[in-house]
Every structure is written in C-alpha cells, then in structure tokens.
Amino acid sequence: MFAATMSRPGVSAPVDESLLWSVALLLAIGLVMVYSASIATAEASKLTGFQPTYYLIRHAAFMVVGICAGIAAFQVPMRWWQQSSPYLFLFAAFLMLLVLLPGIGRVINGSQRWLRFFGLGFQPSEFAKFAVVLYSADYTVRKAAFMGSFRKGFLPMAGVMLFAGTLLLLEPDFGAFAVITIIAMGVLFLGGMNWRLFAGLAICLVIGFVFLIWVAPYRLERVAGFLDPWADPLGKGYQLTHSLIAFGRGEVFGVGLGASVEKLFYLPEAHTDFLLAVIAEELGLAGVAAVLGLFAWFVIRAFAVGRQAARLERYYGALVAQGVGLWLGAQALINMGVNMGVLPTKGLTLPLLSFGGSGLVANLTAVAVLLRVDYENRCLMMGKVV
C-alpha cells in the first residue's frame, strides 16, 4: 500500500522502486530484530506490564505513524519545503530550547532530551536533523554565489549551526551534534564550497570535537573505554565488551534468530543503540552485511536522485536528496562503528531499524521527501507539471 501510494499521487510517474524496497527491507528487519532484542527485557519489566510484545507493538505503531507522516510529506511540493525551511528550522530550535527548561524537558539516563506530549515522549533533536537538511539546502542555494567566501558564505551558516549545536550540547546530545555538523558541512561542500576553505574548516571541527571530549569527563571515560574496553570490562568498557562478544558469537551465519545470549540482560540498550550487535549474534556476518548493503544502496540511490535533480537544474531538491542520504548514511555508519568498537560509544540509534518513535518518524518523513524529489524529477522529464 505504501509503495502504491508513493508511486501514484495523481499521475503515472513512478519513484525509484529499488530505493523504496531498500527502505521496506530495513523496516522489516528492524521490526523483527527489535522484537527479538527486546522480548526478554519487556517480559521482565514492571514498566512494560511484563508483556513480551510491549516493544514490538510500540515499534509497529511508530512505524505506522511514520508511514502516514511520510505519505503526507510526499504530497507536499518541494517548492513548499524550500519556502518553509527557515521556519521549520526555527521551530526545531524552539523545541530544543523548550526541552532545556526545568519542568518541561524530561531527564532520562542523565540527559535532558525529551518532551512529553499526550503521554508519549518526543525527542526534538531527531526533528532538528530533518530541519537542518532542509535549511542547509535552502541556504546553500540562496548563497550559491558566495560559497567561496568565508565571511559571506560560511560564517552565517556556522553561526546558525553553532547555536543549534550549543542547544544539543546542553542536553547533552553529542551524537546528534556530530550528525547535524556532518549534514551541514556535507551540504555546503556538495553545494560548491571552496575545497580549501572546506579543508580548513574540517581541521577546525576536528580540533573542536577533541576539545569538547577533553573538557567533559564522561566523554573522556567513553574514549578510554573505547581504546581499551577490556581494561575495565565491568565499568567503562561494559557495553562495548558485550557488543564485541555478540559479534564474536555470531560468526558467519549467527546462532539463530531469537537465540542471542547477550540480549538476556547483558547488553544494555540491545533494542536501541546496540541493535546491530544482536543482529550480528543472531544472523552473523551475513545479517550485518545485508544491513550494510541495504544502507549502501539507499545512499547510492539518494545521491543518484540528487544528481538527476541537479541535471534538471532543481538544485534545492538535489541538495535535499543528497542531504537525506548523507544524514541516514552517516548516522548508520556511526552506529555501526560504535557497535563494532571502531568509534567511541554515543547515543545514536540505527536509522530505520532501532526502537524509537521520534527517530523512526523523522527518518520516514525524510525518506518521503527524498522520494518526492525523485517523483518531481520524473514528472519533469515526462513534461508534467508538479
């Protein structure tokens, strides 16, 4: 139904079916693995009413909401997204300010990242990632003539991103800050920023990230645990050691769906941040390779849609498509790196797979906008007005 709705909103021009299938397969894998990873935790918790299907039902409900939001977003022309992008970004900034207010933002695991609406938690940083894609694409198109200028091209955008990044660091949400930085810098570079200026700014960003890690003791502990997790396997290295054990147990084809041992109260956040470790244990290298391949294909097709839009001189749509690919691809890569011990631990979920309502809805809305870019490309090539 989702594919049919996306393919024919009034005219016969289709969308990229392989891109749509890659998303559908990731969602299907996510649904199965969230249930597998969470069943023991749900069955043993008072908060879930000892219901083994608690997380499965909620994840499926979030998926339905996300698909409905995506269908609605797909109906909206790209010109509206472009005109509205500054206001959507301001709204995202307002929500990130709101979450910091005492008594309004909810503190979970030491971080103040959530708002509560009608009994449901909402994470503004997930919406902010989507808003940054739209805004940075609009900014780059508007400032195309100044992309080689530090003062007129980069500095205004840097100020806006610094403001958003400060709000995220106050929560704190270092992972989301890293993702929106990658999105903004990537879109500016794809939009024609001078490569020397980009290289200099990239060096400054690396220095800035090192400084932010250095001044925060808990981040230093995470880096220490990352560099040698076996030095303190019951403390700083606990999550990573158990994630690596899960990968080791899985070998090539896994121990079998549902047969993970690490999800049985050993590996924290098994159904969210460390879902890939459960996939590795139960489905092995084959399962991890399948997930990696689906993400790679998604990014390849997103950039192909962007290139097609650029050839048709639809530059805003081109940057949005590539920005969505950059966002979901970079976040997936960071999450995979954390699970495999290649990157320090940070609170980032695996897009389209991990449990989490805000992230899943934001991801599916972004995918729908990407498909809208592809749809408008095809309509234009067929001589149809959108």
Side-chain angles (χ1 to χ4, degrees):
M1 185 185 75
F2 183 59
T5 305
M6 287 297 195
S7 299
R8 294 176 179 83
V11 293
S12 59
V15 295
D16 190 322
E17 291 185 0
S18 67
L19 191 155
L20 198 56
W21 273 109
S22 68
V23 173
L25 288 172
L26 287 169
L27 290 174
I29 293 170
L31 188 65
V32 172
M33 294 311 302
V34 163
Y35 180 47
S36 178
S38 67
I39 185 170
T41 304
E43 198 169 25
S45 174
K46 281 185 179 180
L47 296 175
T48 64
F50 306 107
Q51 295 296 318
T53 58
Y54 177 83
Y55 290 106
L56 171 66
I57 292 170
R58 289 174 70 86
H59 189 71
F62 291 142
M63 191 181 297
V64 171
V65 172
I67 290 173
C68 291
I71 291 172
F74 183 76
Q75 310 305 318
V76 179
M78 289 308 299
R79 62 179 178 275
W80 185 92
W81 289 112
Q82 183 171 9
Q83 293 165 359
S84 304
S85 57
Y87 307 106
L88 292 173
F89 180 80
L90 287 174
F91 181 62
F94 169 73
L95 292 176
M96 288 191 291
L97 275 170
L98 199 62
V99 81
L100 296 173
L101 298 179
I104 297 178
R106 297 184 65 218
V107 179
I108 300 177
N109 295 330
S111 297
Q112 193 165 332
R113 303 177 184 175
W114 286 266
L115 296 173
R116 197 78 175 170
F117 293 115
F118 305 107
L120 297 173
F122 171 71
Q123 198 168 350
S125 59
E126 295 295 342
F127 176 69
K129 295 171 191 174
F130 177 56
V132 166
V133 171
L134 299 176
Y135 177 75
S136 57
D138 174 57
Y139 176 88
T140 304
V141 171
R142 286 189 287 108
K143 298 280 187 175
F146 304 108
M147 280 295 103
S149 168
F150 176 81
R151 184 174 64 87
K152 293 182 179 180
F154 175 77
L155 204 55
M157 184 65 173
V160 172
M161 289 301 106
L162 184 61
F163 171 68
T166 300
L167 295 178
L168 289 171
L169 291 174
L170 288 173
E171 295 182 4
D173 193 345
F174 188 75
F177 172 64
V179 171
I180 69 163
T181 301
I182 290 171
I183 293 169
M185 290 293 293
V187 170
L188 286 173
F189 180 73
L190 291 168
M193 175 182 280
N194 181 280
W195 72 268
R196 292 186 181 87
L197 178 59
F198 181 83
L201 293 169
I203 293 170
C204 291
L205 279 173
V206 171
I207 294 171
F209 277 118
V210 171
F211 174 76
L212 288 171
I213 292 170
W214 184 262
V215 298
Y218 79 94
R219 292 191 189 116
L220 274 175
E221 288 183 2
R222 285 186 176 183
V223 172
F226 154 69
L227 293 174
D228 189 5
W230 303 104
D232 186 11
L234 298 178
K236 295 187 291 289
Y238 183 80
Q239 279 186 308
L240 181 52
T241 54
H242 280 281
S243 180
L244 294 175
I245 289 169
F247 271 86
R249 290 192 76 244
E251 297 184 348
V252 179
F253 296 108
V255 297
L257 184 62
S260 167
V261 172
E262 286 301 317
K263 70 184 182 185
L264 302 178
F265 312 106
Y266 293 104
L267 181 63
E269 310 296 339
H271 59 299
T272 56
D273 298 357
F274 283 85
L275 184 67
L276 188 71
V278 179
I279 294 174
E281 187 177 3
E282 295 190 347
L283 304 181
L285 175 63
V288 174
V291 170
L292 184 59
L294 287 170
F295 273 114
W297 184 251
F298 174 85
V299 174
I300 289 169
R301 294 312 307 158
F303 272 74
V305 170
R307 287 194 301 271
Q308 182 63 53
R311 285 194 290 269
L312 296 171
E313 299 184 354
R314 302 176 68 88
Y315 299 113
Y316 176 73
L319 291 174
V320 167
Q322 293 173 343
V324 170
L326 191 63
W327 163 21
L328 299 188
Q331 184 167 326
L333 202 60
I334 292 171
N335 177 274
M336 292 176 183
V338 168
N339 276 251
M340 296 177 187
V342 179
L343 294 172
T345 303
K346 50 181 64 66
L348 280 177
T349 57
L350 190 58
L352 301 171
L353 281 91
S354 293
F355 177 81
S358 303
L360 189 57
V361 172
N363 294 163
L364 288 172
T365 304
V367 168
V369 174
L370 166 61
L371 290 169
R372 178 71 197 194
V373 175
D374 183 44
Y375 166 71
E376 292 192 4
N377 288 348
R378 293 168 188 251
C379 282
L380 189 61
M381 288 188 292
M382 294 169 65
K384 295 185 178 181
V385 179
V386 290

